[in-house]
Amino acid sequence: MKLAMFTYRLLVLLTLVLPAAVMAADDKYTETMQKNINIVYTATAPAELQNAVNTLERIGAAEKSKWEPFYYASFGYVMMANKESDASKKDTYLDQATAALAKAQALRPNDSEIVAMEGFIHMIRINVDPATRGQQYSGLATQNFRKAVSLNPENPRALALLAQIQFGTAAFFGSPATEACATNTQALEKFETFKPADALAPRWGKGMAESMKEKCK
Amino acid sequence: MKILFTLCFLFPLAALAQTTLSGKILDDKGEGIPGANVVLEGTYDGGTTDVEGKFQFTTTEQGKHVLVVSFVGYKEYRQAVALEGSPIVVDTRLEETINELEVVTINAGAFTASDASRRTVFKALDIATTAGATADIAGALNTLPGTQKVGESGRLFVRGGDSNETRTFIDGMLVLDAYGPSAPNTPSRGRFLPFMFKGVSFSTGGYSAEYGQALSSVLALDSKDEAAMTRTDIGILSVGADVAHTQAWDGGSMAAKVQYTNIRPYFGLINQRIDWKTAPASIEGIGAFRQKVGKQGMVKVYGNFNHSDYSLYNHDINDYNHLTVYDLVNNYRYLNGFYKTVLNEKWNVRGGLSYTSIENNNWTGLDHTVETQKGAHAKTVFEGSLSDKAELRTGVEVIQRNYDQVNDLNAGQDYTLSFNEVITAGFAEMDLYTSNAFVMQGGLRSEYNSLNKKISIDPRLSLAYKTGKSSQIHFAYGSFRQTAKNELVRIDHQLGAEKAEHFILNYQIMENNRTLRVQGYYKRYRDLVKYVNGDPMQLANTGDGYAKGLEFFWRDNRTVRNLDYWVSYSYLDTQRDYLDSPYRATPSFASAHNFSVVTKYFFTDVRTQLGLTYSYTSGRPYNDPNADTFNGGKTPYYSDLSVNVSYLPKPYIIVHLSCTNVLGRDNIFGYEYSTSPDAQGTFNSRPIRQPAPRFLFLGIFITLSKDKTTNQLPTL
């Protein structure tokens, strides 16, 4: 059934609101990473994204102890999946996103950001076949978002994503979005106080929460 | 690397020694591969190929390095390069890997349903949401081509084969008697609930050498892996209730379900043609345990028990007031253990053990019969790749069955019929890919049967060729055998296996949620069991027969938003000379034309799915002992329009209403005749009808879980 009537496409575009300017680079790793993270955040052309993802995978292969290259490669594949209309290609990108994220996860088990990204992949999976996948993957995504929040209650992205899925469910059932909006308010508060751990820490998602705030009015 | 970087910084001159690398990456057809990652191994340097497959980048690295080119779907290419400042050009072709998405598949005659795979024609969820199927696996599969609708049976009859020629396997393990008991001439339901399975593969012919003891068709069910979340499900049905609980932990889960079905109140409200003394009631318990073992290993244990009973009055054809009580108590136990593990990078092993026990305790008037069947099946299969283009699957199995029928007759002369059969089998099958476009599968299966002490060897062969990006053509041949029905083997243990050969040609095009499939087949039956001189106590493997047909399937869930529909048509021409047939005749379960349309439409605004299924079956032969021709009669056509409605009032509640045969057509499946002629020398008859024109079902399904958005939809 078309439980997944959420407009993921729009939703994902909204995540692309530019994060705060990145700090000055202090070495080659950080510098190259920042350049490519920015492309992943802002690129719209698939070739440009593919290029950035390839570079991130190269960095990941060279820097064996860093989790960030794989995290952002995964994010890049999610963006590519989101722009792809062919169902089986979409799945292929999501498979690649999952594979890249698994490498990040192996380096950093139980990380709130990585768990939230896993949920994000599940959420985009619904798009491929909402009728068959809606139920299963919305359940899995919700589970991931909740786990990400419990791992780090200060993670604003986990809350913002959870708010999205709650909003979609409420809209589908025609019930008030009270719970979703409360989660979203919480997410916005956390965005205000959120302090990135370092120059490469994830910064995306605020735009998504802000646009939902409009819908909640 | 940092050192290199520092060195470059310290000696600015060295930084000038840049090397440019460029080239073109092509596929095996000579077309450029865009998006391939070109890497100078161990460095950040590299590039991505453009639309034409071209790349270019410069590096300040020096000396010997390895250039690696990779892209999903192709083999990694590696080349040593010496970076000395002069430009390097690398042009190469990448070799295709056998890619799950692009590769041609062996699918002649098979409808594979799995929610995970993207190449499925039929989904596991379809079983629950097909109107008229009432969440019964066989009911839903009956809307696919290759099946013949036999309304009074409810079982799967495939391509001119009798229902016992379709065998059910769960996780590769044989199930004895996959259907629940039913009163004579009323449809039975499958014993296994569709929600347990993540994948369903229904093969209407030409299946793998892994499956033996099935003449016509194999229904292979893949049970679900570990559950992801803890939940409790409650179902309140118009014919009973069920409750299930699933407990999930990291890497494993355990589930239990109890279901009670009692159709007595329903039959009290809606008049039935059957004169029930006590209508059917059953209690069923199901348990499932799943645990991941190691990195990719999995252990599954599944078991169920079922107890059902009913009794009815059988009225004599000649004299309605002369009646006999028929009483049945059925006990069923099934236990299945499955394991799967990876041996090394190339090989994995799977296998299991299953045990079935069936007991039918039956009274017909004052005659008492107890029929028991106990069976065990053990199997181990090794699967692996010999190279990246050759895969081997090989295994051994033992199927052991113990059958007993104890007859305690009122008139005396009690007797027992029994047999004990052990089938030992081995098989090997190889898939050879010459490219993503062509695959050849060859296999052999050998069996030894302890009853008739015969060794058999059966070959299987499949060839599939991709004719376009999303279309393929497939040919399959196979030789199949199956021990004759229990009713026959219990009389003559020496009977040989019945045999069939399948020849199948299939064309399929699948693009963007639209599928078209056309297939033709020819099936030859040999060694069918026949009565010698019309005496059912004297049997011989002297019968034969054939079936041929043409099938058509179209599914589209793209053209109209929120509408999913499929259309199936099968033409069947079959005749067989077996059992009491005096010569080759079309059996009474075979109908020439079977047509069905299944539609599902989702009304977003009211969160309601409406399903409509229409089925048509042309008349079936029946034998009139008053006529000269055997099986010369023909029943009227069968037609049925079924409707179902599913409504989601809350994310965790589903209300489901369904009604079969809404138009109330009085379908006639055949005629029963009296065993002896009346005074005028005529055998009296009466038609075999549906027990009631319609069947109405109402269910409310509630799920209790932590996130409150989970419902039973995927499991219904």
Side-chain angles (χ1 to χ4, degrees):
Chain A
M1 270 191 214
K2 319 272 181 201
L3 180 58
M5 286 289 126
F6 320 111
T7 47
Y8 287 115
R9 198 156 295 226
L10 181 72
L11 182 165
V12 171
L13 287 174
L14 290 169
T15 62
L16 299 177
V17 171
L18 249 176
V22 287
M23 292 190 286
D26 57 355
D27 59 19
K28 188 185 172 191
Y29 171 72
T30 314
E31 184 190 25
T32 324
M33 281 300 290
Q34 282 176 339
K35 203 176 121 205
N36 287 286
I37 292 167
N38 269 330
I39 298 172
V40 169
Y41 279 154
T42 57
T44 49
E48 209 180 338
L49 275 169
Q50 179 78 64
N51 199 0
V53 165
N54 279 357
T55 311
L56 287 163
E57 295 244 34
R58 282 201 293 273
I59 301 170
E63 304 277 356
K64 303 218 179 313
S65 62
K66 308 281 195 197
W67 65 281
E68 294 99 337
F70 296 116
Y71 173 84
Y72 288 103
S74 181
F75 190 65
Y77 281 123
V78 171
M79 294 297 121
M80 284 162 75
N82 192 55
K83 288 177 188 9
E84 179 57 57
S85 58
D86 183 284
S88 66
K89 279 190 191 150
K90 216 182 185 74
D91 257 334
T92 310
Y93 286 137
L94 293 171
D95 288 349
Q96 287 175 292
T98 308
L101 198 68
K103 290 181 196 165
Q105 210 143 28
L107 293 166
R108 248 170 105 102
N110 287 324
D111 176 87
S112 176
E113 297 286 0
I114 295 172
V115 172
M117 181 67 77
E118 197 182 338
F120 199 9
I121 297 171
H122 289 316
M123 199 155 94
I124 305 295
R125 286 257 189 223
I126 304 172
N127 266 347
V128 176
D129 186 359
T132 337
R133 294 184 177 182
Q135 254 301 307
Q136 185 194 358
Y137 284 100
S138 67
L140 287 173
T142 308
Q143 242 185 341
N144 276 121
F145 298 148
R146 285 192 191 278
K147 187 178 171 192
V149 173
S150 74
L151 286 168
N152 176 13
E154 300 303 311
N155 182 353
R157 274 162 295 283
L159 285 162
L161 288 164
L162 180 62
Q164 291 291 334
I165 210 144
Q166 287 172 339
F167 192 87
T169 310
F172 181 81
F173 286 97
S175 46
T178 329
E179 192 190 14
C181 290
T183 312
N184 196 57
T185 309
Q186 231 183 320
L188 279 167
E189 281 165 15
K190 301 291 180 194
F191 271 115
E192 290 310 315
T193 56
F194 180 71
K195 293 257 179 333
D198 55 54
L200 299 181
R203 287 152 198 268
W204 57 277
K206 196 176 176 185
M208 169 172 73
E210 275 168 355
S211 87
M212 190 193 283
K213 193 181 162 190
E214 294 301 309
K215 285 192 260 175
C216 281
K217 271 180 185 168
Chain B
M1 193 141 9
K2 259 190 181 161
I3 296 165
L4 250 176
F5 186 68
T6 320
L7 282 175
C8 292
F9 180 74
L10 287 175
F11 305 97
L13 276 178
L16 292 176
Q18 284 191 336
T19 307
T20 303
L21 291 103
S22 66
K24 207 168 178 182
I25 309 300
L26 307 174
D27 65 13
D28 50 9
K29 289 182 208 84
E31 282 170 35
I33 300 173
N37 201 358
V38 186
V39 190
L40 213 46
E41 199 174 37
T43 77
Y44 291 6
D45 297 338
T48 300
T49 54
D50 65 10
V51 200
E52 290 166 353
K54 286 184 188 160
F55 72 92
Q56 186 176 352
F57 66 93
T58 53
T59 178
T60 52
E61 305 282 342
Q62 301 266 316
K64 285 185 177 167
H65 277 87
V66 177
L67 187 79
V68 183
V69 185
S70 61
F71 191 63
V72 65
Y74 293 90
K75 264 195 200 168
E76 196 176 86
Y77 172 82
R78 303 172 73 88
Q79 185 182 323
V81 286
L83 306 173
E84 290 156 347
S86 48
I88 296 172
V89 178
V90 177
D91 288 335
T92 187
R93 288 191 175 204
L94 293 190
E95 203 184 323
E96 260 184 312
T97 51
I98 298 305
N99 175 334
E100 188 219 336
L101 272 178
E102 301 294 331
V103 76
V104 56
T105 51
I106 300 282
N107 73 347
F111 284 91
T112 309
S114 144
D115 292 342
S117 164
R118 306 121 203 184
R119 302 168 56 107
T120 56
V121 175
F122 194 76
K123 297 173 200 132
L125 187 65
D126 287 333
I127 293 164
T129 57
T130 295
T134 53
D136 181 45
I137 296 176
L141 296 177
N142 254 321
T143 65
L144 296 179
T147 60
Q148 273 78 54
K149 182 103 180 167
V150 182
E152 75 278 24
S153 154
R155 298 174 187 228
L156 284 165
F157 289 74
V158 176
R159 291 183 171 171
D162 197 344
S163 66
N164 74 307
E165 294 177 23
T166 298
R167 300 304 286 268
T168 304
F169 294 82
I170 295 180
D171 293 327
M173 309 311 296
L174 182 66
V175 175
L176 296 178
D177 194 5
Y179 300 94
S182 69
N185 295 323
T186 63
S188 50
R189 284 176 66 84
R191 288 195 178 274
F192 301 98
L193 304 170
F195 80 84
M196 295 163 39
F197 306 103
K198 62 172 181 190
V200 175
S201 173
F202 175 51
S203 178
T204 52
Y207 30 92
S208 150
E210 183 179 340
Y211 301 110
Q213 291 297 310
L215 266 189
S216 278
S217 169
V218 160
L219 176 61
L221 305 167
D222 269 340
S223 69
K224 282 189 173 163
D225 293 335
E226 81 277 11
M229 58 183 104
T230 295
R231 56 190 286 174
T232 301
D233 296 305
I234 300 164
I236 303 156
L237 323 172
S238 54
V239 293
D242 62 51
V243 58
H245 181 75
T246 306
Q247 191 72 37
W249 58 86
D250 212 20
S253 69
M254 190 139 176
K257 178 170 184 156
V258 180
Q259 181 171 313
Y260 177 70
T261 314
N262 188 337
I263 205 148
R264 282 160 206 166
Y266 177 82
F267 283 175
L269 283 171
I270 293 166
N271 203 26
Q272 305 287 310
R273 285 206 179 94
I274 293 171
D275 188 4
W276 294 105
K277 189 176 171 210
T278 41
S282 74
I283 180 145
E284 173 154 323
I286 302 171
F289 169 81
R290 306 281 184 253
Q291 182 64 50
K292 269 191 188 156
V293 186
K295 260 195 164 164
Q296 291 171 75
M298 171 71 82
V299 170
K300 296 179 181 183
V301 180
Y302 167 84
N304 78 344
F305 76 87
N306 180 301
H307 171 92
S308 43
D309 62 78
Y310 67 82
S311 63
L312 54 82
Y313 297 105
N314 248 330
H315 294 263
D316 192 87
I317 294 177
N318 291 320
D319 177 7
Y320 185 83
N321 293 323
H322 185 263
L323 40 85
T324 330
V325 177
Y326 180 89
D327 178 291
L328 181 83
V329 178
N330 173 281
N331 281 304
Y332 188 87
R333 311 259 180 284
Y334 180 77
L335 191 67
N336 176 323
F338 170 87
Y339 68 91
K340 182 182 81 176
T341 190
V342 174
L343 294 175
N344 58 38
E345 245 177 50
K346 288 188 164 172
W347 288 86
N348 62 56
V349 62
R350 65 181 159 87
L353 200 64
S354 76
Y355 173 77
T356 319
S357 151
I358 311 157
E359 185 196 75
N360 274 318
N361 206 322
N362 160 244
W363 288 89
T364 306
L366 295 167
D367 296 338
H368 185 206
T369 305
V370 181
E371 187 187 34
T372 51
Q373 194 181 179
K374 292 189 171 104
H377 181 195
K379 175 165 161 179
T380 300
V381 182
F382 293 87
E383 284 170 307
S385 42
L386 300 175
S387 76
D388 58 331
K389 295 196 166 172
E391 282 163 27
L392 183 72
R393 190 161 41 255
T394 178
V396 287
E397 62 183 338
V398 179
I399 302 168
Q400 189 268 337
R401 291 192 303 143
N402 195 322
Y403 176 94
D404 267 301
Q405 190 200 29
V406 180
N407 293 280
D408 178 5
L409 304 183
N410 186 39
Q413 291 185 310
D414 300 345
Y415 64 95
T416 299
L417 294 173
S418 56
F419 66 86
N420 190 354
E421 180 188 58
V422 182
I423 292 170
T424 316
F427 71 90
E429 191 167 61
M430 186 139 84
D431 293 357
L432 276 173
Y433 292 88
T434 56
S435 70
N436 272 331
F438 185 75
V439 61
M440 189 172 93
Q441 183 182 77
L444 272 182
R445 180 180 176 87
S446 177
E447 289 185 356
Y448 173 73
N449 186 314
S450 70
L451 276 179
N452 54 32
K453 303 197 165 42
K454 276 185 188 140
I455 294 178
S456 60
I457 291 176
D458 291 305
R460 315 272 158 100
L461 177 75
S462 268
L463 307 168
Y465 177 69
K466 232 174 134 167
T467 48
K469 198 174 168 293
S470 43
S471 64
Q472 68 168 54
I473 193 156
H474 184 184
F475 168 78
Y477 164 80
S479 162
F480 305 85
R481 73 183 58 230
Q482 182 175 350
T483 301
K485 282 187 190 183
N486 294 344
E487 300 88 291
L488 302 169
V489 179
R490 72 189 179 199
I491 291 165
D492 182 353
H493 299 175
Q494 302 298 316
L495 280 176
E498 298 186 308
K499 296 185 197 99
E501 277 174 291
H502 303 178
F503 299 83
I504 302 167
L505 191 63
N506 158 302
Y507 174 77
Q508 174 177 295
I509 179 156
M510 197 173 184
E511 208 161 51
N512 246 333
N513 291 328
R514 289 194 194 105
T515 304
L516 171 70
R517 194 187 269 209
V518 182
Q519 28 192 349
Y521 66 91
Y522 177 77
K523 195 151 119 184
R524 187 160 59 204
Y525 281 102
R526 286 179 294 133
D527 298 350
L528 296 180
V529 176
K530 198 167 155 57
Y531 301 165
V532 177
N533 302 321
D535 177 2
M537 298 310 283
Q538 280 193 60
L539 308 171
N541 289 94
T542 52
D544 61 11
Y546 71 89
K548 57 189 175 192
L550 207 62
E551 294 161 6
F552 169 91
F553 177 80
W554 166 253
R555 182 167 188 169
D556 174 8
N557 55 16
R558 186 179 172 81
T559 310
V560 181
R561 199 180 147 80
N562 290 350
L563 175 74
D564 181 12
Y565 71 94
W566 68 85
V567 181
S568 303
Y569 168 74
S570 319
Y571 169 73
L572 168 70
D573 171 13
T574 182
Q575 287 197 332
R576 49 168 80 191
D577 176 15
Y578 79 138
L579 302 178
D580 57 340
S581 298
Y583 37 77
R584 273 191 179 186
T586 303
S588 59
F589 54 78
S591 42
H593 306 279
N594 275 268
F595 172 79
S596 57
V597 189
V598 177
T599 58
K600 296 165 190 185
Y601 186 81
F602 190 72
F603 296 90
T604 320
D605 298 348
V606 284
R607 305 177 300 283
T608 298
Q609 177 167 284
L610 176 70
L612 284 175
T613 299
Y614 175 74
S615 316
Y616 167 90
T617 299
S618 60
R620 281 160 38 197
Y622 65 90
N623 190 41
D624 179 355
N626 300 309
D628 298 334
T629 323
F630 181 78
N631 272 8
K634 194 151 237 182
T635 66
Y637 69 89
Y638 164 93
S639 116
D640 176 290
L641 179 71
S642 293
V643 184
N644 69 13
V645 179
S646 306
Y647 168 61
L648 285 93
K650 284 273 180 320
Y652 52 93
I653 299 177
I654 298 169
V655 180
H656 184 83
L657 178 71
S658 77
C659 180
T660 61
N661 196 20
V662 279
L663 302 178
R665 182 179 158 82
D666 184 15
N667 287 308
I668 290 173
F669 300 120
Y671 296 87
E672 286 179 296
Y673 286 85
S674 57
T675 41
S676 49
D678 63 9
Q680 281 77 42
T682 315
F683 290 88
N684 287 322
S685 73
R686 73 174 166 218
I688 300 167
R689 293 190 147 105
Q690 297 168 129
R694 299 174 187 86
F695 183 71
L696 252 171
F697 173 87
L698 176 70
I700 299 164
F701 302 93
I702 304 163
T703 297
L704 307 171
S705 72
K706 217 171 157 190
D707 70 35
K708 297 188 192 68
T709 58
T710 307
N711 61 38
Q712 293 187 44
L713 197 65
T715 68
L716 269 180

